[in-house]
Amino acid sequence: MDVENTENEPNLDALIEAGEEIVSQIDNEVMFEREYGPRAGAPFSSDVCARYRNWSVSLKKYVYNHSDSVFLIDVEAYSADSAFEKLGDPMYFLFGQLSKPEIVELKAEIMRLIPGQVRALKKYRVEHSNKEVVNINDRTVENIHEFFYIIKEGEDFKYNGKFLDKVSKDADYYIVFNTLYSLLPQGGFVGYADISKDVNKYLPKTKRISKQKLTKLIQQNLNDKSNSFLHYAGIVNSVAGGKKLIATVRGKGFQFNNKKGA
């Protein structure tokens, strides 16, 4: 995915999604190498190197415009620019300027740093969302539902200002939806890996099942027509503009369209 830019500002959600795609591409290339042996020339393809360079430029632009957050400082701290400059330059390999142990170390560094940058961006997104919620709360608690379809008060959820008193807090569907809401109180996109990690934490029995089964379980508990949070809460899975309140993005994750008028 290309990062969408306005004249002054890269899009945060697009930055996160592009970063996740780069991480996924690197993981695939590493798995391919493990199965079929090292690639000729640089360890990573020219495509993933170019995508990272473009992404890094957009990150720097975003961080420059939002330098007030410790999480965005972490984005800079996790920068993999230096490692990519070496591993993405075939000249280092043509002239043997890197030893095998150095290559292994640099690859491990990249596989640690880029996910760190993505995590820092996501933490910033949650932090930024929470700040906006606080601002809305300052206006009056009663009218928050004018801005979001679903809000949370204590352990209880409201939909369009009305308590959802038919849901069970002990049910899997509640735990899974609560995980989604905790990650994205104002809505947005979350990848399978991120929500799965937190569902594993709050629903321990899921640690024993495969990734594919876990993804299916999360989807069923979020927006299945007969066995989900939306079903038991009596919420129709559609919002203004023809969107779904909780949409499954095939092969990627879930889109939570919680903000009204978005």
Side-chain angles (χ1 to χ4, degrees):
M1 176 179 181
D2 294 328
V3 177
E4 296 178 9
N5 291 277
T6 64
E7 185 177 350
N8 299 313
E9 179 85 334
N11 179 276
L12 179 58
D13 289 335
L15 276 173
I16 291 171
E17 187 173 348
E20 289 178 326
E21 290 177 357
I22 291 169
V23 171
S24 177
Q25 186 174 351
I26 288 174
D27 288 344
N28 289 338
E29 291 190 7
V30 169
M31 290 177 62
F32 183 89
E33 184 178 283
R34 286 173 181 166
E35 186 169 352
Y36 297 103
R39 60 185 299 118
F44 294 118
S45 68
S46 58
D47 177 59
V48 75
C49 293
R51 291 181 70 183
Y52 177 80
R53 281 192 292 269
N54 292 335
W55 186 63
S56 182
V57 169
S58 295
L59 278 183
K60 287 182 172 65
K61 189 173 183 180
Y62 193 89
V63 171
Y64 180 81
N65 292 336
H66 299 267
S67 57
D68 59 333
S69 170
V70 65
F71 297 125
L72 290 181
I73 294 173
D74 286 344
V75 171
E76 291 285 80
Y78 280 109
S79 174
D81 287 0
S82 177
F84 253 113
E85 283 178 11
K86 295 178 180 179
L87 285 185
D89 187 349
M91 299 300 288
Y92 275 88
F93 300 92
L94 290 174
F95 296 100
Q97 294 185 36
L98 289 175
S99 65
K100 286 186 178 180
E102 287 175 321
I103 294 172
V104 171
E105 184 177 345
L106 286 169
K107 288 176 67 176
E109 186 177 359
I110 285 173
M111 294 177 71
R112 175 182 66 86
L113 291 175
I114 301 177
Q117 288 182 297
V118 174
R119 285 195 301 273
L121 282 172
K122 289 178 177 178
K123 287 178 180 178
Y124 171 76
R125 179 169 63 184
V126 172
E127 179 200 44
H128 186 64
S129 294
N130 288 340
K131 284 182 178 178
E132 290 186 13
V133 171
V134 169
N135 291 336
I136 291 170
N137 278 332
D138 288 343
R139 297 175 69 168
T140 62
V141 173
E142 287 77 16
N143 72 350
I144 300 176
H145 63 82
E146 295 178 11
F147 300 89
F148 305 102
Y149 291 103
I150 297 179
I151 61 171
K152 190 176 183 183
E153 290 188 14
E155 294 302 311
D156 297 309
F157 286 103
K158 284 183 172 182
Y159 176 72
N160 281 334
K162 296 182 179 180
F163 280 108
L164 301 176
D165 51 12
K166 293 183 179 180
V167 300
S168 169
K169 297 181 180 65
D170 297 322
D172 289 356
Y173 63 77
Y174 176 91
I175 295 171
V176 173
F177 177 77
N178 191 46
T179 302
L180 174 70
Y181 187 88
S182 297
L183 289 167
L184 302 167
Q186 287 191 303
F189 173 82
V190 62
Y192 289 138
D194 289 305
I195 192 170
S196 294
K197 181 173 63 177
D198 282 6
V199 168
N200 278 159
K201 187 189 307 180
Y202 300 117
L203 200 60
K205 69 179 183 180
T206 60
K207 294 179 180 179
R208 301 188 297 270
I209 64 178
S210 67
K211 289 182 180 179
Q212 291 80 5
K213 288 183 178 179
L214 177 56
T215 297
K216 184 65 176 176
L217 179 146
I218 293 171
Q219 182 269 315
Q220 288 177 334
N221 280 284
L222 285 178
N223 59 13
D224 186 82
K225 292 181 179 179
S226 60
N227 191 35
S228 66
F229 178 87
L230 296 183
H231 168 73
Y232 289 106
I235 298 173
V236 177
N237 192 16
S238 63
V239 295
K243 299 177 182 177
K244 291 185 176 180
L245 180 59
I246 304 176
T248 302
V249 183
R250 187 179 297 274
K252 294 184 178 181
F254 301 95
Q255 179 69 35
F256 181 31
N257 295 306
N258 196 33
K259 187 179 292 187
K260 295 182 177 181

